[in-house]
Amino acid sequence: MIYYKKDTDHIVTLTLDMAGRDTNIINHEVSRAFLPVIEHLRAEKQKGTLRGVIITSAKKTFCTGGDLEYLSKTDDPEAIFQLAEQLKTTFRALENPGVPVVAAINGSALGAGFELALACHHRIAIDKNTTRFGFPEAQLGLIPGGGGIARLTWLLGVQKAYPILTGGHRYNPQEALQLGLIDELAVNDREMKEKAKAWIMNTREARRPWDQKGATIPGGTAKDPAVVIFLRNESARLFTTGAHRLPAQRALLNILYEGSKVDFDTASRLESRHFTSLLRSKETKNMIKAFWSDQNFIKNGGNRPKGFGKFRPRKVGIIGAGRMGSGIAYVCLDYGMEVVLKDVSKPIAERGLDYVSKRLEQMKASGRKKPEECEAMLRRIQTTESSADFEDCDLVIEAVFENRMVKQKVMREAEEYIDDYSLFGTNTISIPITKLAQGSLRPANYIGLHFFPPAEEVPLVEIVRGAETSDESVARAFDFVRAIRKTPIVVKDDWGFFAARVQNTFILEGITMLSEGYPPALIENLGVQAGMPKGALALADHLGLNMVLRYENQAAEHYGAKYIQHPAVEVLRVMLEELQRPGQQKRAGFYNYQGEQPAGLWKGLEEAFSSSKKRAKHEELMERFLFAQVLEAVWCMQEKVIHSVPAANLGSIFGWGFPAFKGGVIQYVNDYGVEAFIKRCGVFKKKYGQRFSVPSKLRSIVSR
């Protein structure tokens, strides 16, 4: 597990190599294993036979985090607290053997693995494109538990540490160097170890700032006005954006406020208390289920058809050089693929290349990409006006205007040149895949690949299988989405697919509240307070009121005589037909606009829909927003539109921003309590109508 080697200069190299694992992690066993090693090092120091220590890894990565599987099964507060304290004891001992200690980081160091690196006096990393550093814990509703918060605060200051701890960003070596997370870069393993040894030989004594008398935190503590203002502003921002519902963000603000005013060891103990509280909270357990258990289910091919070899796309054709097509092109380039970007003319296709170039300039300026990486990506993109250039593409994705005739035309042109094995994907948001495939030469190879804007940022792709789409095509589409590091969810070709269908219920519920007389500003604020990224009316404008109504009309067509018109439909008709306010695209909807940016709610709304000053039950309105989405998602599972709980949960969080702290649309029911949820639905059904009816299979679905 920890291999000990001492050279003639009395420098010890400790090499981490956990048996039976592809990567090293930090768990209770590793933590305990370090202690006797450190005691031995101290004994060597006392004998005068120890000059310094280098910690490195025998794996491709340095250390990728803590043992989340073990932690998630522990609920005893005393046991959790002692685990955190044990890890802190280990790291404190590591930074105090009386000699310089260097982390020779040969690969990614994340979470507790990066805390191990921070516990070393000096950090040297190999400058590899695949290497990442940082604290992703906040994305799981957790915080670092090994003293990493206190160390980062003392190294960088409160204001610089906060975004690193809360953002969950994984920094490449260049970014990490600029931020001060690491101290030096090396081109390879040999140079890294040479630099580590040289630093040790030139450093007589290494002491941490927090162990030096008179040392202070850079930028000040929460006793200083500038830091107090920063923390106060961040607290306000959390509440205005609804992020205060995310457990880790709240805890981190508290720790930075309290911990910056006390000594290092007291701050670390405060961290352990918050870590214990978080790990036992419902919100964190929900997030761990979504971003650990559910994510691993998808990563391991939980919804991928079995029996087909792995598809490794090397060249992708994209039709349409607009924002969506250009975003897809960027993602494919970013993960090493060649791209042929086509539009009706070469100059228009070049606009897509300009979009990619500007995006790369931004990445280069921020240090997230090296100049040579950007140049290599640009060399892999070809712009064209001819479908003949798709001849050797493994996959072609169409991302043109949402019109059936246009989509079928560009599909037929491309299919003349691609081979019989190539996959063809359409990025439609509302047109049935089966209907589009009717014009295909090879409908078995035709599939929906629904990216979400902006395509280079949203981590979800809906894979929509038509009536004739083969299992092999689904498997290959799944592999392509995983190859560009996105989360694939496989859905049936049904109205609205999954994401748009369920998201629409949130929009419709907000519009219904408007018709009931609730003030528009209240509706928007409560939507955000419920945990949604933006208000229902703002989202309706962004999507376009015609599209919102189109989805509901598709539902009416699908259910026929069983369909019950949603109360929001009448408001939509008034907005579209009488008031001529169709949404953001026309700069007039529920909001006013300056250019593309919202400029406040339209003042005529309250008059048009008789807004009243009646007393609002805020919690009830927020529950209506969430219940509407959850029930529609359960209907989708009951109707086999989507096939697994993990896909539904992750699809809701990544696809349209369902609250992560609730764990996704299906986990919400377990979090609320199944029987309590059903009972509450009964109350809502009596007050608001049939849309709050409980699907017959709800209990069996949520228990999967």
Side-chain angles (χ1 to χ4, degrees):
M1 187 177 292
I2 303 174
Y3 294 97
Y4 181 105
K5 183 179 180 181
K6 187 176 181 183
D7 66 16
T8 54
D9 291 310
H10 302 300
I11 294 175
V12 168
T13 298
L14 301 178
T15 303
L16 305 180
D17 191 9
M18 294 189 74
R21 289 182 179 268
D22 294 331
T23 60
N24 296 313
I25 63 169
I26 299 293
N27 60 14
H28 57 296
E29 295 174 349
V30 176
S31 181
R32 283 197 293 263
F34 256 110
L35 293 176
V37 174
I38 294 168
E39 287 303 313
H40 180 74
L41 292 173
R42 284 176 173 164
E44 291 280 291
K45 167 64 177 174
Q46 289 178 352
K47 292 189 295 184
T49 56
L50 181 66
R51 184 71 185 78
V53 179
I54 298 171
I55 299 178
T56 192
S57 165
K59 311 286 189 185
K60 291 182 179 179
T61 57
F62 180 75
C63 187
T64 55
D67 192 345
L68 192 57
E69 189 171 345
Y70 176 83
L71 286 172
S72 64
K73 294 175 182 176
T74 306
D75 200 49
D76 176 47
E78 182 63 26
I80 296 169
F81 183 80
Q82 290 306 323
L83 280 170
E85 286 294 289
Q86 177 188 311
L87 185 58
K88 289 177 174 65
T89 299
T90 299
F91 287 163
R92 278 301 263 154
L94 182 64
E95 64 189 9
N96 285 303
V99 296
V101 181
V102 178
I105 309 172
N106 60 307
S108 294
L110 298 166
F114 191 59
E115 289 190 277
L116 169 61
L118 285 180
C120 299
H121 304 119
H122 197 68
R123 290 164 295 286
I124 304 171
I126 299 176
D127 190 7
K128 294 191 294 189
N129 294 339
T130 55
T131 296
R132 293 293 182 268
F133 307 95
F135 294 109
E137 287 94 337
Q139 294 177 327
L140 297 168
L142 273 175
I143 59 173
I149 300 171
R151 285 187 176 85
L152 202 64
T153 303
W154 271 89
L155 290 172
L156 303 181
V158 171
Q159 296 182 51
K160 289 184 179 179
Y162 180 74
I164 295 171
L165 291 164
T166 58
H169 185 68
R170 301 174 185 221
Y171 301 95
N172 66 33
Q174 293 287 339
E175 291 176 294
L177 182 66
Q178 288 182 18
L179 288 168
L181 298 176
I182 57 174
D183 302 301
E184 290 186 71
L185 294 177
V187 297
N188 54 38
D189 188 79
R190 179 178 177 179
E191 185 183 56
M192 175 184 67
K193 290 175 180 174
E194 287 174 350
K195 284 188 171 186
K197 185 172 180 178
W199 189 84
I200 289 171
M201 297 302 290
N202 290 320
T203 305
R204 298 307 304 176
E205 182 184 14
R207 294 181 64 201
R208 312 317 301 270
W210 44 92
D211 289 327
Q212 297 177 28
K213 189 175 181 179
T216 58
I217 293 174
T221 73
K223 296 178 182 178
D224 297 297
V227 177
V228 171
I229 291 170
F230 170 79
L231 293 173
R232 185 184 298 144
N233 289 341
E234 283 303 313
S235 179
R237 184 187 63 80
L238 290 183
F239 273 88
T240 56
T241 60
H244 67 288
R245 307 289 292 270
L246 298 172
Q249 272 71 4
R250 298 194 308 265
L252 285 164
L253 268 181
N254 289 332
I255 293 168
L256 290 172
Y257 177 78
E258 299 163 357
S260 69
K261 297 189 292 184
V262 296
D263 64 87
F264 178 86
D265 290 316
T266 303
S268 293
R269 194 168 179 84
L270 285 170
E271 179 188 300
S272 293
R273 293 187 182 281
H274 281 281
F275 180 84
T276 302
S277 177
L278 283 176
L279 193 57
R280 299 183 70 241
S281 73
K282 290 175 68 175
E283 294 93 340
T284 297
K285 289 184 182 299
N286 287 335
M287 294 176 75
I288 289 174
K289 183 185 184 308
F291 301 125
W292 178 255
S293 303
D294 290 350
Q295 188 72 272
N296 283 335
F297 175 86
I298 299 294
K299 283 182 179 179
N300 295 330
N303 290 134
R304 182 189 187 274
K306 309 301 181 188
F308 302 99
K310 188 173 183 180
F311 177 53
R312 293 179 174 85
R314 58 178 184 80
K315 191 169 186 178
V316 178
I318 297 169
I319 307 172
R323 290 288 296 273
M324 180 59 74
S326 301
I328 297 170
Y330 179 89
V331 174
C332 293
L333 292 167
D334 201 23
Y335 289 100
M337 300 172 196
E338 296 177 54
V339 170
V340 178
L341 183 58
K342 176 189 177 295
D343 215 303
V344 292
S345 69
K346 179 88 169 176
I348 293 177
E350 290 287 332
R351 293 178 193 171
L353 177 59
D354 289 342
Y355 180 88
V356 172
S357 298
K358 288 176 182 176
R359 183 79 177 177
L360 288 173
E361 285 298 321
Q362 293 170 355
M363 299 294 280
K364 190 163 55 175
S366 68
R368 295 177 67 182
K369 286 195 181 296
K370 301 180 200 174
E372 56 268 30
E373 285 181 84
C374 298
E375 291 167 9
M377 284 176 65
L378 290 173
R379 285 195 297 269
R380 292 199 301 273
I381 186 170
Q382 171 191 351
T383 57
T384 185
E385 60 186 22
S386 172
S387 295
D389 291 318
F390 292 144
E391 189 173 9
D392 56 348
C393 287
D394 306 301
L395 163 67
V396 175
I397 302 170
E398 162 270 301
V400 299
F401 185 69
E402 191 73 357
N403 178 283
R404 179 179 174 183
M405 300 294 289
V406 174
K407 287 180 176 290
Q408 288 182 322
K409 178 178 180 293
V410 299
M411 170 190 65
R412 285 191 295 269
E413 290 173 355
E415 284 185 332
E416 289 182 23
Y417 296 97
I418 60 178
D419 64 38
D420 292 346
Y421 192 65
S422 294
L423 195 64
F424 192 97
T426 175
N427 187 59
T428 182
I429 62 172
S430 64
I431 306 172
I433 304 302
T434 301
K435 288 184 179 179
L436 287 172
Q438 288 172 358
S440 172
L441 297 173
R442 293 175 285 276
N445 294 10
Y446 192 91
I447 197 162
L449 286 172
H450 179 206
F451 287 78
F452 296 78
E456 62 269 39
E457 295 178 14
V458 178
L460 184 77
V461 178
E462 279 186 313
I463 297 173
V464 189
R465 67 182 307 159
E468 296 190 59
T469 305
S470 70
D471 281 351
E472 184 174 11
S473 291
V474 174
R476 295 168 74 208
F478 191 100
D479 293 343
F480 162 69
V481 175
R482 291 292 304 129
I484 56 174
R485 303 296 192 274
K486 292 190 181 290
T487 299
I489 60 170
V490 181
V491 303
K492 187 172 74 172
D493 184 22
D494 213 335
W495 68 275
F497 310 138
F498 174 71
R501 171 175 168 177
V502 181
Q503 176 187 251
N504 218 44
T505 61
F506 168 63
I507 295 171
L508 294 173
E509 202 60 33
I511 294 172
T512 300
M513 291 174 189
L514 185 67
S515 72
E516 293 169 353
Y518 291 106
L522 176 68
I523 294 167
E524 295 297 81
N525 288 333
L526 290 181
V528 173
Q529 290 303 309
M532 299 299 292
K534 62 171 63 176
L537 305 180
L539 188 56
D541 271 8
H542 179 74
L543 186 62
L545 273 58
N546 279 305
M547 186 62 73
V548 175
L549 185 58
R550 181 191 295 185
Y551 287 132
E552 192 59 18
N553 288 338
Q554 288 177 341
E557 181 182 349
H558 178 82
Y559 291 114
K562 295 180 180 179
Y563 172 75
I564 299 173
Q565 182 173 292
H566 200 288
V569 168
E570 188 55 37
V571 176
L572 288 167
R573 286 182 177 147
V574 169
M575 289 289 291
L576 290 165
E577 297 170 11
E578 296 180 21
L579 300 174
Q580 299 290 303
R581 297 186 67 87
Q584 183 176 339
Q585 191 173 14
K586 296 296 184 181
R587 311 292 187 264
F590 293 113
Y591 282 75
N592 286 319
Y593 292 86
Q594 290 181 348
E596 292 186 2
Q597 297 304 313
L601 284 155
W602 177 45
K603 291 182 179 179
L605 276 181
E606 296 197 24
E607 181 181 345
F609 299 104
S610 304
S611 178
S612 68
K613 304 297 182 183
K614 69 179 181 180
R615 187 178 182 86
K617 295 180 179 178
H618 291 188
E619 194 64 34
E620 181 171 306
L621 295 182
M622 288 192 287
E623 282 191 343
R624 281 174 60 184
F625 275 132
L626 300 180
F627 272 50
Q629 297 173 73
V630 170
L631 287 168
E632 194 65 33
V634 176
W635 282 113
C636 284
M637 289 203 67
Q638 185 163 305
E639 295 169 11
K640 302 191 185 311
V641 172
I642 195 162
H643 309 290
S644 72
V645 168
N649 284 335
L650 291 173
S652 67
I653 295 170
F654 291 149
W656 68 89
F658 190 85
F661 59 86
K662 294 297 184 183
V665 279
I666 306 301
Q667 177 61 17
Y668 179 91
V669 183
N670 287 316
D671 178 74
Y672 197 95
V674 177
E675 298 309 318
F677 179 84
I678 292 171
K679 183 178 180 180
R680 189 67 166 155
C681 285
V683 173
F684 285 169
K685 180 180 177 180
K686 188 174 181 180
K687 289 180 71 172
Y688 303 113
Q690 289 293 320
R691 65 185 184 279
F692 288 102
S693 296
V694 176
S696 61
K697 295 183 180 178
L698 181 139
R699 285 186 177 86
S700 63
I701 286 169
V702 300
S703 65
R704 293 180 190 175

